[in-house]
Amino acid sequence: MKPPNLTLVIFGGAGDLTHRKLLPALYNLHVDGLLPDTFAVVGIGRREFTDEAYRDFAKDGVQQFSRRTIDQARWQTFAAALFFINASIDAPDAFPTIGARLDTIEHERGIPGNRVYYLAVPPAWFVPTVRQLQHARFVAPTDAKMFARLIVEKPIGRDLASAMAINDAIASVFGERQIFRIDHYLGKETVQNILVLRFANSFFEPLFNQKYVDHVQITVAEEEGVGTRAAYYEAAGALRDMVQNHLLQLLTLVAMEPPYSLDADVVRDEKLEIIQSLRPMEGDASDAYAVRAQYGPGTVDGKPLPGYTSEAGVAPNSRIETFVALQVFIDNWRWAGVPFFLRTGKRLPRRASEISIQLKPVPPILFNKNPDKRLDPNVLTIRIQPDESFSLGISSKVPGTRVEIRPVEMELDYCRAFASSSPEAYERLLLDVMLGDATLFMRRDGVETSWKWITPILNRWTERQDAPLPAYPAGSAGPVEADRLIESTGRRWRSL
Ligand code: BG6
């Protein structure tokens, strides 16, 4: 099914996200024939781009970041649909000017007025931009023939109160069904496959509960440091930047009950229940189960790397965490007593995101009798990136006349199995917004419930500002405190 003809209006149209992700994703959708028959992409920003210069900017983004190289004929038709409006969204006459230009573009291209507004701007601009959209009458009422939809990037707030304030302001202009809050992890192919793996196979689902699962590990490790994003990161840190959204979303997909349908709200209701069932981490519980740390100087392949506080734009006395490890419990019948270990950090040894579901050991009889040589428990590992795959760790007899048992891996490598590259997360997400499917987007209650759970940890860290902040060398697997967290339960992190 193709989306209806529409205009995608990107506030922050000359920004980094648009350059690296959105324009390459749109180009790939175009190549796949998935965009509407008639469409326009209109970037809005402070850069003094003509439409031609904007097309060059887009081409550069596609050349650098697209999963496909440029096909000249397809590029021409795509580029013809790109436009740029130079405007500062806080200038008094900005929106009338933008409106007039959009009307002209839509009239010339025969687009009926369906619009998707994308807020690819810093969060401080979310509310003012939405207010201006309302003021300038850019938002068709929900019952109108034409639609207006809004895409909001993270971060939505920095704690529960600020998230609610942003959501309230947006809700005074757009109905919940018009709002698409992006968590780009939900657009990743391997992440979408979690539900398929669980609910389209009968192997796994019967095992996904406290009777069989010993514990679950969710790791999102990044090799990169803070890079050029210190201004944002200094006000965020790993808990806000990664855990509140991406890691909790992965957790919901692993732990949720089977929804009775794939309807967006049914799926999101089930995910919400998991967040609501998270055991609160307040006060002492936060001290015991939440580890934060910051990377110090280190070396990778003999190359020295600076510590976080020596990165450009970072305060020399910054206490922002670049690593978080948590032990969390889901207090429902299915998962009672099963610990979920979450960890994420920057400047870890390599980029590796994976979920591993570790089953309980088989009883200490038969092949598992020898206390000095216990069998490895079975593990299901979902590798989200890179090298998208999933594998099952099982025990097998080594061929021979004696009974010798060894752990082996059964692996499904996406690339080899399907012989095609996976679409980028933003391809799927942009397409879904155009089609009006909100399944892979965050509903308001989901965002706020996550913040409600995260905020006490943040508060505790603020209260304990004088407590020493653990450090780990750049390029290492994280602080010893994170090892202690899991090892105190008799388990170990999977190696990075
Ligand atoms: C973003 C965070 O949401 O996700 C970044 O703000 C992080 O700090 C990024 O680097 C990781 O995304 P991915 O898709 O590269 O794993």
Side-chain angles (χ1 to χ4, degrees):
M1 188 173 60
K2 272 198 172 201
N5 296 345
L6 55 77
T7 305
L8 173 64
V9 181
I10 308 177
F11 293 96
D16 204 46
L17 177 73
T18 310
H19 189 229
R20 283 169 172 268
K21 299 283 185 193
L22 307 185
L23 291 165
L26 289 163
Y27 172 70
N28 280 304
L29 288 173
H30 175 67
V31 172
D32 286 332
L34 296 170
L35 288 183
D37 292 330
T38 310
F39 67 95
V41 176
V42 182
I44 296 178
R46 292 183 192 196
R47 299 271 291 263
E48 304 241 326
F49 278 147
T50 58
D51 291 339
E52 270 320 308
Y54 193 54
R55 290 166 189 163
D56 291 342
F57 167 83
K59 193 169 190 180
D60 181 71
V62 174
Q63 272 161 342
Q64 282 192 60
F65 303 111
S66 159
R67 67 189 167 94
R68 290 200 181 100
T69 51
I70 288 196
D71 168 287
Q72 277 314 324
R74 288 190 169 123
W75 173 256
Q76 292 307 333
T77 48
F78 178 69
L82 303 183
F83 303 88
F84 190 77
I85 305 176
N86 165 243
S88 274
I89 44 187
D90 50 342
D93 60 345
F95 276 72
T97 313
I98 296 169
R101 181 84 202 282
L102 286 176
D103 289 344
T104 312
I105 293 169
E106 285 168 344
H107 179 73
E108 282 173 8
R109 294 185 70 78
I111 298 173
N114 295 323
R115 287 190 193 160
V116 175
Y117 300 107
Y118 199 128
L119 300 185
V121 289
W125 287 104
F126 291 172
V127 173
T129 310
V130 165
R131 293 232 165 89
Q132 290 284 7
L133 286 172
Q134 178 185 38
H135 189 67
R137 295 179 195 282
F138 275 28
V139 184
T142 35
D143 56 355
K145 263 204 191 144
M146 267 91 71
F147 62 72
R149 296 181 184 143
L150 182 76
I151 307 181
V152 194
E153 269 291 335
K154 70 173 250 280
I156 299 181
R158 43 178 293 103
D159 53 18
L160 178 59
S162 53
M164 288 172 72
I166 292 175
N167 280 331
D168 279 345
I170 293 177
S172 68
V173 182
F174 290 90
E176 182 62 29
R177 302 187 81 83
Q178 296 173 285
I179 304 169
F180 294 76
R181 298 179 191 83
I182 286 211
D183 181 319
H184 78 279
Y185 266 60
L186 298 180
K188 290 182 190 276
E189 196 61 49
T190 29
V191 174
Q192 290 167 49
N193 203 23
I194 298 173
L195 291 192
V196 178
L197 209 62
R198 287 189 60 197
F199 303 133
N201 295 292
S202 38
F203 271 124
F204 305 115
E205 191 46 27
L207 302 176
F208 268 52
N209 57 56
Q210 40 93 2
K211 185 163 177 212
Y212 295 104
V213 175
D214 174 76
H215 75 282
V216 175
Q217 294 189 23
I218 302 180
T219 298
V220 177
E222 296 185 89
E223 197 177 338
E224 298 288 300
V226 68
T228 53
R229 296 173 68 229
Y232 153 74
Y233 203 78
E234 277 281 273
L239 190 68
R240 289 187 177 95
D241 185 44
M242 298 296 287
V243 181
Q244 183 271 335
N245 35 68
H246 308 323
L247 275 89
L248 287 187
Q249 284 304 304
L250 296 178
L251 174 85
T252 61
L253 293 169
V254 175
M256 69 190 262
E257 294 299 319
Y260 69 81
S261 87
L262 291 175
D263 175 86
D265 279 326
V266 177
V267 173
R268 294 186 298 178
D269 285 346
E270 293 299 347
K271 289 171 64 184
L272 179 64
E273 281 215 10
I274 293 297
I275 312 259
Q276 287 167 329
S277 315
L278 288 176
R279 188 178 300 170
M281 278 234 225
E282 284 163 5
D284 294 352
S286 166
D287 300 343
Y289 297 125
V291 170
R292 57 178 160 158
Q294 190 185 73
Y295 63 84
T299 37
V300 168
D301 299 333
K303 207 178 108 209
L305 291 169
Y308 178 70
T309 52
S310 307
E311 301 272 19
V314 172
N317 58 352
S318 172
R319 285 182 51 86
I320 282 296
E321 80 286 356
T322 58
F323 177 99
V324 176
L326 303 172
Q327 180 181 344
V328 309
F329 288 97
I330 299 169
D331 284 335
N332 66 12
W333 273 70
R334 184 190 277 265
W335 295 112
V338 178
F340 283 69
F341 295 96
L342 275 46
R343 106 188 121 148
T344 183
K346 294 201 184 282
R347 278 279 186 252
L348 294 176
R350 62 190 180 96
R351 180 168 188 251
S353 300
E354 64 168 44
I355 300 172
S356 78
I357 293 111
Q358 316 228 0
L359 299 196
K360 291 190 171 162
V362 293
I365 47 177
L366 302 177
F367 304 112
N368 203 19
K369 244 189 326 210
N370 183 349
D372 300 325
K373 227 175 152 195
R374 293 281 187 228
L375 295 176
D376 285 359
N378 294 146
V379 186
L380 167 66
T381 305
I382 301 168
R383 211 152 292 131
I384 293 166
Q385 63 188 24
D387 309 327
E388 291 90 344
S389 65
F390 74 83
S391 67
L392 263 183
I394 58 170
S395 292
S396 174
K397 180 176 173 307
V398 180
T401 44
R402 288 181 315 122
V403 179
E404 189 194 337
I405 296 178
R406 223 184 271 163
V408 289
E409 296 237 324
M410 292 168 62
E411 183 159 322
L412 178 114
D413 177 314
Y414 275 48
C415 230
R416 256 185 290 149
F418 301 107
S420 66
S421 67
S422 300
E424 285 283 328
Y426 278 95
E427 294 176 36
R428 170 70 192 261
L429 295 174
L430 283 165
L431 182 62
D432 281 3
V433 179
M434 294 184 208
L435 292 167
D437 180 351
T439 313
L440 300 181
F441 295 83
M442 304 288 301
R443 208 169 55 189
R444 174 176 184 158
D445 48 7
V447 172
E448 291 179 3
T449 312
S450 301
W451 276 121
K452 192 170 161 208
W453 186 79
I454 289 282
T455 302
I457 308 175
L458 290 167
N459 291 345
R460 182 65 172 179
W461 288 354
T462 312
E463 256 169 59
R464 303 199 66 226
Q465 284 216 44
D466 299 331
L469 179 65
Y472 58 102
S476 72
V480 288
E481 287 77 357
D483 295 339
R484 277 189 213 128
L485 175 76
I486 190 166
E487 284 166 16
S488 67
T489 71
R491 301 167 174 102
R492 298 176 70 83
W493 291 113
R494 286 172 59 81
S495 66
L496 277 174

